[in-house]
């Protein structure tokens, strides 16, 4: 037996991979299949699962309904589609803002002296390693009606003797956007930095020698070379934003409902695991589709590893 | 000389972004010295030392002076328990992930077998699906599985299978392993097989070759993977939220719980402690990095 | 090299934890008296019970158990108490019914008790082991949701009514219907509780708070959708926080939260609406398959002692069904007792009780309520 082990390369390979594969199948594939099965079930009166085959949950998600008010045979209720769109829009807004903010910083660090580079980089790591929940709480303190920002603005208004009405910032969709940006900004800085760092100084010099102005250099040299980093960063930002519920929970006052909140609610207060499973799977499919088309166009971004 | 490095736009933008990154953290840390218990407005520092005295909802005197909330925190056994759990879970899941992840990376990179494409794809899945989908899936799995096993075997009392530290560790391994595997695989890709071949030519058998040649060269990749797994586990909220049980609360879950109650500056004190620990860790890392590059 | 980094990392964490655990902590001064870390002297248990379990897992509402009670129990019986929290009955029910949990005690509100009994999620109380049933005021026992108290023991009772900051609200609301006033837009906090909020809407329309009629519920859904636009924040964890911080000016909350808010800001008022407030009672229940039964009864007996349970009046002042606790407070802390009895919040006036409504299990219609809640909160 042992001899076979020594000779059979394929067997060796399989054995090496098997523990990992076991975890992947057991804790990823099987749960996903189970989620799929449950999504076709119905809930009973007390919130349990009745295993049957019914597309009712998916119909409800899309908004297809036969139970219409004006006697029409079927109509559309866009409630859940709206929630999905809201999440997509938020994810998109967050990603764009994060790219705009991360790029100058990553560029600055990449072009700084090598000795100082590490310091600047580590300054970015500190917020990244500070706990997720803590960072969301920090924004609560800044944004609330009697919080730091309003306090500062009020003090400034006082200096100029202007009347001041505190801004209504916390528990709004804007607060959720700011929270999301803050959470995911470091995830974009690092990949962009990694790809920018690879650009040699000589490239810029060559472009300057050939008479290119700054904007031209940026568009034709810097940006294309930074692209893998931007792609990797987008994957690291867009996907989690779609699924996060804690930011909208704490900063949105449980009023801003995103897909993540919807799913979490179904498993907790609304007691409909079948509907929650359906929503969860749709989210996953949506994310996979977006990722597929995105990486098809831009590549997978090896910088994801560098993070 | 690169003329664009000194561009004022870049410098201003950088300063603004760093301010954006650090302002909340600094405010957070400042408020951990807040005399006001309701922690809405900053009512100043606690300057007097002595037994605890309060005026309205401000603490005016405390045995620990301005560090009142830190002392408060140290008496909080739930925090220490949560910290202990968090570390235990992170260390255990990291060690196991690194071992099986490295094995898998070597298997994927060096061998060909039928399950290889399937394995590669299944490794990418946890990276591209939102955490909540994975968390929900695992919760559903454990709930159904445990109900089934508990009734089938008639388990009761402490023998019952339930959500707890075990389930959390197992789930953490599940999301860490792909990252470890991919990182080590990337390292293996740029690896010169010639070293190994040379060693074998010189008479070393496979095991010695692995131990003395392959592993040391893989080490930076393994360590990166380990750090990544450790960080992911330490900071994880979503998956732990769905898989934990009584007594297995981790720090992120605990802090979330604190935010749902009366928020005293104790939360800030906890945050400050965490931030300081991170700062020290990053500082160590930098010193190490500098020593290596010299 | 990098191995030493991880090594240093770990050492640092450990060192820090050791330092932290060094400061503070409870002391046992002598074999006579045990004190908690806040300086509270733990009373001796009136009924000695042998406890072999090392842990007790309780699943309770947020901000509902004084830390001194937990600490005293841990010190006296040498049992570690693991506390997990929830902020809605539905959340608690979902976790318990999903299986795979090992809680010893939960705190269901009246209406969800019958649901849990029906689904075999809680077990009968062994009256022979329970010594403190006599501590309770008979007015809080033997309700419809648990005749004869077979499954539950009262914990706290109270009302859901309207709360507002009289400094900020010029035209205070007097009825549920008033809350739809557009001048309140963006200034309200509501409990994150489907039955309560939908119930309030039903009451404002003049319907029964436990209506099962789909037509009435549909009407309530439409009306509630208007209200949700004006609600700034849903919070069942700590509704008073937003009020005290000034992020909201009025809303709907429970007894205890109102009292605590009033203590921080005396201009906060609690008013029973004309349509009638919602009356409720939270109870202790033992989940089926609880692993540490002996610790459970030790807890139920010890924590309900008058000289320990009176701490609720101080920390989480709801309406207290534990007569022994009230009697103890009368003699040991008359100031506290007077506050409790004088306040119309904790000592609900008779007419408010008579006018009030109790939420009940609605059986099949629960699905409708849950669905309305999802849709109403999702659409914005």
């Amino acid at each position: 037996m042992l001899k076979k082990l020594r000779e059979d390369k394929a067997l060796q390979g399989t054995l090496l991979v098997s523990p990992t594969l076991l975890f992947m199948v057991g804790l990823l594939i099987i749960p996903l299949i189970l989620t799929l099965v449950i999504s076709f079930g119905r809930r009973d009166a007390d919130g349990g699962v009745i295993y049957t085959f019914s597309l009712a949950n998916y119909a409800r998600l899309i908004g297809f309904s036969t139970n219409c008010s004006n006697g029409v045979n079927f109509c559309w209720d866009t409630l859940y589609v709206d929630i999905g769109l809201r999440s997509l829009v938020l994810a998109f807004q967050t990603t764009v803002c994060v790219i705009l903010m991360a790029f100058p910083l990553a560029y600055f660090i990449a072009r700084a002296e090598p000795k100082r580079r590490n310091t600047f980089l580590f300054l970015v790591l500190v917020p990244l390693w500070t706990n997720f929940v803590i960072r969301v709480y920090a924004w609560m303190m800044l944004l609330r009606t009697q919080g730091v920002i309003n306090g500062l603005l009020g003090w400034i208004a006082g200096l100029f003797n202007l009347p001041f009405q505190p801004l209504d910032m916390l528990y709004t969709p804007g607060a959720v956007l700011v929270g999301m940006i803050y959470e995911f900004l470091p995830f974009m800085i690092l990949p962009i930095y990694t790809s920018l760092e690879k650009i040699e100084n000589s490239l810029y010099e060559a472009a300057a020698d050939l008479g290119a102005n700054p904007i031209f250099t940026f568009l034709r040299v810097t940006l294309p070379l930074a692209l893998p980093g931007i792609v990797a960063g987008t994957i690291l930002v867009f996907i989690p934003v779609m699924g996060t519920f804690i930011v909208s929970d704490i900063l949105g006052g449980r009023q801003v409902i995103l897909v993540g909140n919807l799913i979490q609610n179904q498993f907790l207060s609304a007691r409909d695991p079948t509907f929650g499973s359906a929503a969860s799977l749709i989210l996953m499919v949506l994310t996979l589709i977006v990722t597929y088309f995105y990486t098809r166009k831009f590549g997978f971004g090896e910088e994801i590893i560098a993070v | 000389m690169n003329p664009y490095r000194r561009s004022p736009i870049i410098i201003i933008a950088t300063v603004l972004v760093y301010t954006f990154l650090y302002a909340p953290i600094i405010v957070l840390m400042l408020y951990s010295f807040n005399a006001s218990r309701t922690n809405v407005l900053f009512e100043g520092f606690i300057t007097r030392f002595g037994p605890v005295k309060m005026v309205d909802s401000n603490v005016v005197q405390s045995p620990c002076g301005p560090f009142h909330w830190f002392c408060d925190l140290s008496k909080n056994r739930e925090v220490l328990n949560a910290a202990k759990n968090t570390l235990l879970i992170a260390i255990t899941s990291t060690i196991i992930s690194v071992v099986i992840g490295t094995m898998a990376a070597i298997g994927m990179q060096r061998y060909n077998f039928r399950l290889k494409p399937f394995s590669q794809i299944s490794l990418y899945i946890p990276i591209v699906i939102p955490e909540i989908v994975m968390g929900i899936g695992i919760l559903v799995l454990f709930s159904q599985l445990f109900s089934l096993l508990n009734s089938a075997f008639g388990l009761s009392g402490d023998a019952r299978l339930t959500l707890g530290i075990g389930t959390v560790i197992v789930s953490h391994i599940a999301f860490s392993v792909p990252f470890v595997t991919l990182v080590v695989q990337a390292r293996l890709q740029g690896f010169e097989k010639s070293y190994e071949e040379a060693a074998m030519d010189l008479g070393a058998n496979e095991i010695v070759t692995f131990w003395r040649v392959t592993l040391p060269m893989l080490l930076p990749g393994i360590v990166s993977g380990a750090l990544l797994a450790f960080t992911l586990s330490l900071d994880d909220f979503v998956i732990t939220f769905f898989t934990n049980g009584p007594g297995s609360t981790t720090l992120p879950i605990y802090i979330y719980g604190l935010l749902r109650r009366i928020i005293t500056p104790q939360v800030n004190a906890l945050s400050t402690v965490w931030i300081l620990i991170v700062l020290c860790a990053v500082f160590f890392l930098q010193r190490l990095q500098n020593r290596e590059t010299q | 090299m990098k191995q030493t980094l991880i090594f240093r990392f770990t050492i640092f964490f450990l060192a820090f934890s050791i330092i932290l655990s060094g400061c503070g902590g409870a002391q046992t001064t002598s074999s006579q008296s045990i004190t908690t870390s806040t300086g509270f002297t733990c009373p001796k248990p009136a009924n000695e019970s042998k406890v072999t379990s090392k842990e007790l897992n309780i699943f309770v509402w947020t901000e509902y158990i004084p830390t001194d009670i937990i600490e005293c129990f841990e010190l006296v019986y040498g049992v570690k108490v693991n506390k997990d929290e929830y902020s809605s009955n539905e959340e608690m029910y979902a976790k318990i019914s999903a299986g795979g949990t090992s809680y010893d005690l939960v705190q269901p509100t009246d209406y969800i008790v019958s649901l849990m009994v029906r689904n075999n999620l809680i077990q009968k109380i062994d009256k022979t082991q329970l010594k403190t049933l006599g501590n309770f005021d008979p007015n809080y026992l033997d309700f419809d949701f648990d005749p004869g108290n077979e499954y539950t023991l009262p914990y706290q009772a109270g009302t859901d009514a309207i709360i507002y900051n009289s400094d900020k609200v010029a035209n205070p609301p007097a009825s549920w219907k008033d809350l739809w006033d557009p001048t309140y837009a963006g200034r309200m906090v509501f409990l994150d509780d489907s039955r309560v909020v939908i119930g309030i809407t039903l009451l404002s329309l003049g319907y029964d708070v436990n209506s099962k009629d789909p037509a009435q519920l549909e009407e309530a859904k439409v009306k509630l959708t208007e209200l949700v636009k004006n609600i700034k924040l849903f919070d069942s964890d700590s509704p008073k926080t937003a009020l005290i911080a000034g992020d909201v000016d009025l809303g709907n909350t429970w007894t205890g939260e109102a009292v605590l808010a009033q203590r921080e800001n005396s201009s906060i008022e609690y008013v029973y609406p004309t349509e009638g407030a919602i009356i409720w009672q939270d109870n202790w229940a033992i989940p089926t398959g609880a692993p540490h039964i002996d610790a459970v009864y030790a807890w139920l007996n010890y924590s309900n002692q008058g000289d320990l349970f009176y701490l609720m009046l101080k920390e989480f002042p709801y309406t207290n069904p534990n007569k022994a606790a009230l009697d103890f407070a009368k003699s040991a802390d008359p100031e506290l007792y007077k506050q409790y009895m004088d306040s119309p919040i904790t000592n609900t006036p008779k007419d408010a009780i008579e006018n009030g409504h109790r939420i009940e299990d609605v059986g099949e219609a629960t699905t409708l309520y849950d669905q309305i809640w999802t849709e109403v909160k999702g659409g914005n």
Side-chain angles (χ1 to χ4, degrees):
Chain A
M1 236 275 318
L2 218 59
K3 192 149 186 275
K4 180 157 195 264
L5 192 63
R6 293 205 75 178
E7 288 168 4
D8 189 349
K9 287 279 172 180
L11 185 60
Q12 285 179 20
T14 317
L15 277 180
L16 279 175
V17 176
S18 49
T20 304
L21 205 58
L22 204 71
F23 268 95
M24 290 296 103
V25 169
L27 285 161
L28 199 65
I29 313 266
I30 294 187
L32 283 177
I33 296 178
L34 203 57
T35 310
L36 185 69
V37 167
I38 292 185
S39 72
F40 290 123
R42 303 289 296 142
R43 76 165 269 186
D44 62 22
D46 299 331
V49 179
I50 306 174
Y51 289 93
T52 112
F53 185 81
S54 153
L55 290 173
N57 287 321
Y58 289 99
R60 187 172 156 204
L61 276 175
I62 304 176
F64 184 80
S65 161
T66 45
N67 181 13
C68 304
S69 38
N70 36 356
V72 186
N73 259 342
F74 54 85
C75 44
W76 296 92
D77 172 20
T78 56
L79 177 67
Y80 299 107
V81 175
D82 285 340
I83 295 179
L85 280 175
R86 197 184 300 144
S87 311
L88 269 172
V89 167
L90 183 69
F92 183 71
Q93 286 173 329
T94 308
T95 310
V96 168
C97 289
V98 160
I99 293 177
L100 288 176
M101 291 176 76
F103 204 91
L105 191 68
Y107 187 79
F108 177 83
I109 302 178
R111 318 275 323 139
E113 288 172 322
K115 255 193 286 176
R116 304 251 221 91
R117 235 179 262 173
N118 274 331
T119 319
F120 287 123
L121 211 55
F122 286 132
L123 280 181
V124 172
L125 280 180
V126 171
L128 181 67
W129 282 0
T130 307
N131 187 261
F132 195 67
V133 183
I134 292 177
R135 283 185 276 156
V136 176
Y137 170 56
W139 277 100
M140 257 182 94
M141 307 203 65
L142 288 176
L143 292 176
R144 54 155 60 116
T145 313
Q146 291 189 62
V148 176
I149 293 185
N150 272 326
L152 212 64
L153 291 174
W155 177 72
I156 295 178
L159 288 181
F160 294 104
N161 272 326
L162 291 170
F164 178 69
Q165 183 76 341
L167 293 174
D168 194 25
M169 293 179 288
L170 191 58
Y171 309 132
T172 61
V176 178
L177 178 61
V178 171
M180 291 284 191
I181 293 176
Y182 190 69
E183 291 293 332
F184 295 107
L185 185 56
F187 285 103
M188 183 65 82
I189 297 179
L190 292 175
I192 296 185
Y193 161 76
T194 314
S195 37
L196 280 177
E197 191 237 355
K198 291 194 190 134
I199 304 177
E200 309 237 338
N201 258 342
S202 48
L203 230 68
Y204 290 112
E205 287 169 18
D209 286 340
L210 290 168
N213 62 34
I215 300 178
F216 193 80
T217 318
F218 177 74
L219 284 176
R220 299 299 292 269
V221 178
T222 321
L223 200 55
L225 288 171
L227 210 55
I230 299 182
V231 167
T234 309
I235 294 179
L236 286 175
V237 172
F238 195 87
I239 297 173
V241 172
M242 289 292 292
T244 307
F245 61 86
I246 191 176
V247 177
S248 37
D249 206 40
I250 297 179
L251 293 176
R254 300 204 193 98
Q255 273 276 55
V256 180
I257 302 289
L258 302 173
V259 179
N261 301 90
L262 177 68
I263 298 175
Q264 184 222 16
N265 274 337
Q266 294 309 306
F267 279 91
L268 292 179
S269 20
R271 287 178 295 173
D272 195 352
T274 60
F275 188 59
S277 298
S280 178
L281 281 174
I282 296 273
L283 173 64
M284 187 182 87
V285 168
L286 260 177
T287 320
L288 284 174
I289 292 178
V290 170
T291 314
Y292 178 70
F293 281 112
Y294 190 71
T295 55
R296 200 101 195 272
K297 183 142 200 268
F298 294 109
F300 195 68
E302 296 70 38
E303 275 69 10
I304 216 172
I305 314 278
V307 180
Chain B
M1 217 24 237
N2 176 22
Y4 316 118
R5 200 193 311 172
R6 299 274 176 257
S7 160
I9 310 175
I10 299 283
I11 297 192
I12 294 177
T14 307
V15 169
L16 282 177
V17 175
Y18 267 124
T19 313
F20 178 73
L21 276 177
Y22 276 89
I25 295 181
I26 294 178
V27 167
L28 203 62
M29 290 172 73
L30 182 68
Y31 270 61
S32 56
F33 297 100
N34 193 358
S36 162
R37 195 188 43 164
T38 52
N39 208 17
V40 178
L41 294 169
F42 190 75
E43 303 283 354
F45 294 90
I46 305 169
T47 45
R48 303 218 299 259
F49 286 82
V52 178
K53 246 196 283 197
M54 300 201 49
V55 169
D56 291 335
S57 51
N58 292 348
V59 179
V60 292
Q61 195 176 274
S62 157
C64 303
F67 296 99
H68 173 77
W69 301 108
F70 291 89
C71 289
D72 218 29
L73 183 68
S74 68
K75 293 196 213 129
N76 186 340
R77 282 160 40 262
E78 288 177 334
V79 168
L80 299 179
N81 200 33
K84 189 185 64 160
N85 283 339
T86 313
L87 270 181
L88 178 68
I89 293 172
I91 293 175
T92 315
S93 64
T94 302
I95 293 176
I96 299 181
S97 310
V98 163
V99 169
I100 67 176
T102 311
M103 281 169 61
I106 296 177
M108 297 291 294
Q109 205 56 27
R110 295 288 175 79
Y111 299 86
N112 275 312
F113 46 94
R114 253 183 290 152
L115 284 174
K116 187 161 156 181
F118 173 70
S119 311
Q120 192 69 53
I121 295 180
S122 65
L123 281 175
Y124 278 128
I125 296 184
I127 304 182
V128 292
I129 64 172
E131 266 200 298
I132 191 172
V133 174
M134 192 165 167
I136 295 277
I138 298 182
L139 172 68
V140 161
L141 173 73
F142 281 140
S143 313
Q144 303 286 343
L145 189 66
F146 289 166
S147 308
L148 206 74
L149 289 178
N150 281 333
S151 47
F153 293 109
L155 301 170
S156 63
D158 276 324
R160 255 170 74 108
L161 291 172
T162 56
L163 294 174
I165 280 207
T167 52
V168 178
I169 292 180
V170 164
S171 345
H172 280 221
I173 296 175
F175 70 67
S176 296
V177 160
F179 287 97
V180 174
T181 311
L182 286 175
V183 169
V184 177
Q185 243 187 303
R187 178 83 186 164
L188 264 173
Q189 263 171 345
F191 191 65
E192 286 292 327
K193 285 201 82 171
S194 51
Y195 283 107
E196 289 184 327
E197 284 161 6
M200 307 254 282
D201 282 342
L202 290 169
N205 65 21
E206 281 149 1
I207 298 180
V208 175
T209 315
F210 179 73
W211 194 251
R212 304 292 296 268
V213 180
T214 324
L215 205 54
M217 297 197 74
L218 275 184
L219 209 55
I222 296 182
V223 171
S224 296
L227 275 177
L228 192 60
F230 190 77
T231 313
L232 284 173
S233 171
L234 213 62
D235 210 29
D236 182 65
F237 179 80
V238 178
I239 306 240
T240 318
F241 181 79
F242 288 109
T243 54
N244 80 340
S248 67
T249 314
T250 61
L251 272 178
I253 305 276
Y254 180 72
I255 296 174
Y256 180 66
L258 277 187
L259 292 187
R260 299 164 101 196
R261 305 182 214 164
I262 313 172
I263 306 180
T264 63
Q266 203 190 102
V267 186
N268 295 64
L270 180 58
S271 312
T272 307
V273 168
W274 182 289
I275 293 171
L276 286 177
I277 293 181
V278 170
L279 266 169
C280 292
V282 168
F283 181 65
F284 273 143
L285 242 185
Q286 187 182 8
R287 290 277 295 279
L288 227 75
Q289 194 92 324
N290 285 344
R291 248 197 285 156
E292 267 190 23
T293 49
Q294 263 150 25
Chain C
M1 352 138 248
K2 284 200 176 148
Q3 288 153 320
T4 51
L5 168 72
I6 300 179
F7 183 67
R8 285 194 202 179
F9 218 62
T10 325
I11 294 290
F12 205 84
F13 263 119
L14 289 175
F16 207 82
S17 329
I18 294 173
I19 296 173
L20 281 187
S21 59
C23 339
Q27 319 98 24
T28 358
T29 44
S30 63
S31 54
Q32 255 74 26
S33 65
I34 304 177
T35 45
T36 67
S37 54
T38 55
F40 174 76
T41 314
C42 297
K44 282 191 129 49
N47 308 286
E48 286 291 344
S49 24
K50 262 242 161 292
V51 176
T52 47
S53 301
K54 289 275 156 261
E55 297 190 32
L56 179 69
N57 302 326
I58 59 178
F59 195 29
V60 295
W61 289 85
T62 47
E63 303 198 306
Y64 218 18
I65 306 188
T67 40
D68 283 332
I69 295 186
I70 296 183
E71 240 190 294
C72 280
F73 181 76
E74 289 185 318
L75 292 170
V76 168
Y77 284 97
V79 171
K80 181 160 171 287
V81 175
N82 298 316
K83 177 169 66 128
D84 275 352
E85 296 176 332
Y86 57 87
S87 48
S88 80
N89 284 305
E90 286 73 16
E91 188 185 327
M92 177 268 290
Y93 183 85
K95 285 231 161 106
I96 301 279
S97 63
T101 52
S102 61
Y103 294 113
D104 297 305
L105 280 168
V106 287
Q107 293 180 326
T109 310
D110 38 34
Y111 68 93
I112 211 135
V113 171
S114 26
L115 191 62
M116 298 185 84
V117 171
R118 220 178 38 228
N119 286 291
N120 289 322
L121 295 174
I122 52 181
Q123 48 174 294
K124 287 200 182 176
I125 296 184
D126 182 2
K127 298 279 178 65
T128 58
Q129 293 199 54
L130 186 67
K131 312 276 191 236
T132 42
L133 198 55
N135 286 11
F136 293 97
D137 183 335
N139 283 325
Y140 296 95
L141 296 172
D142 202 23
F143 276 111
D144 280 341
F145 63 82
D146 184 18
N149 284 90
E150 305 248 339
Y151 292 93
T152 63
L153 201 64
Y155 187 65
Q156 294 285 277
T159 53
D160 295 334
I162 301 178
I163 190 172
Y164 66 91
N165 186 342
S166 54
D167 278 346
K168 302 271 198 69
V169 180
N171 50 334
S175 66
W176 293 125
K177 202 140 167 267
D178 287 345
L179 293 173
W180 269 256
D181 188 333
T183 58
Y184 298 145
R187 301 160 67 193
M188 297 194 287
V189 60
F190 266 68
L191 292 172
D192 193 13
D193 191 318
S194 58
R195 291 302 307 273
V196 170
V197 178
I198 298 177
I200 290 175
T201 318
L202 286 167
L203 287 174
S204 73
L205 288 168
Y207 298 138
D208 182 45
V209 79
N210 298 307
S211 167
K212 299 189 202 178
D213 181 354
Q216 290 182 353
L217 285 173
E218 184 63 34
E219 219 188 304
K221 177 175 134 185
V222 173
K223 189 144 201 267
L224 188 52
T225 316
E226 291 166 32
L227 184 66
V228 171
K229 296 199 189 84
N230 297 343
I231 296 178
K232 182 134 191 238
L233 160 72
F234 282 101
D235 191 346
S236 276
D237 297 313
S238 186
K240 64 182 175 308
T241 309
L243 263 166
I244 298 172
D247 291 315
V248 294
D249 297 325
L250 72 158
N252 148 254
T253 182
W254 307 296
T255 310
E257 292 285 307
V259 174
L260 290 173
Q262 214 176 47
R263 284 189 192 165
E264 298 286 345
N265 183 349
S266 49
S267 39
I268 290 187
E269 306 279 347
Y270 191 69
V271 60
Y272 296 105
T274 50
E275 298 101 334
I278 295 181
I279 307 184
W280 51 268
Q281 177 167 303
D282 286 333
N283 316 275
W284 283 118
I286 310 174
T288 317
H292 312 109
I293 290 285
D294 51 353
V296 166
Y297 285 105
W299 169 270
L300 288 176
N301 288 330
Y302 186 56
S303 64
N304 280 315
Q305 281 178 205
D307 47 4
L308 193 54
F309 201 65
Y310 84 99
L311 289 173
M312 286 297 286
L313 294 180
K314 212 191 310 183
E315 292 208 35
F316 304 115
Y318 288 85
T319 308
N320 203 329
N322 190 325
K323 213 154 152 304
L326 290 175
D327 289 337
F328 183 81
K330 200 160 164 191
S331 50
D333 198 344
E335 172 79 40
L336 190 65
Y337 182 74
K338 189 168 180 305
Q339 263 181 8
Y340 174 86
M341 294 303 279
D342 285 347
S343 165
I345 309 180
T346 43
N347 195 1
T348 319
K350 238 175 171 271
D351 55 339
I353 298 182
E354 269 158 32
N355 200 15
H357 312 267
R358 198 174 275 279
I359 294 184
E360 288 161 10
D361 178 27
V362 285
E364 295 281 326
T366 315
T367 324
L368 279 174
Y369 278 83
D370 288 337
Q371 210 159 322
I372 293 177
W373 191 237
T374 307
E375 292 176 16
V376 147
K377 277 182 97 182
N380 243 326

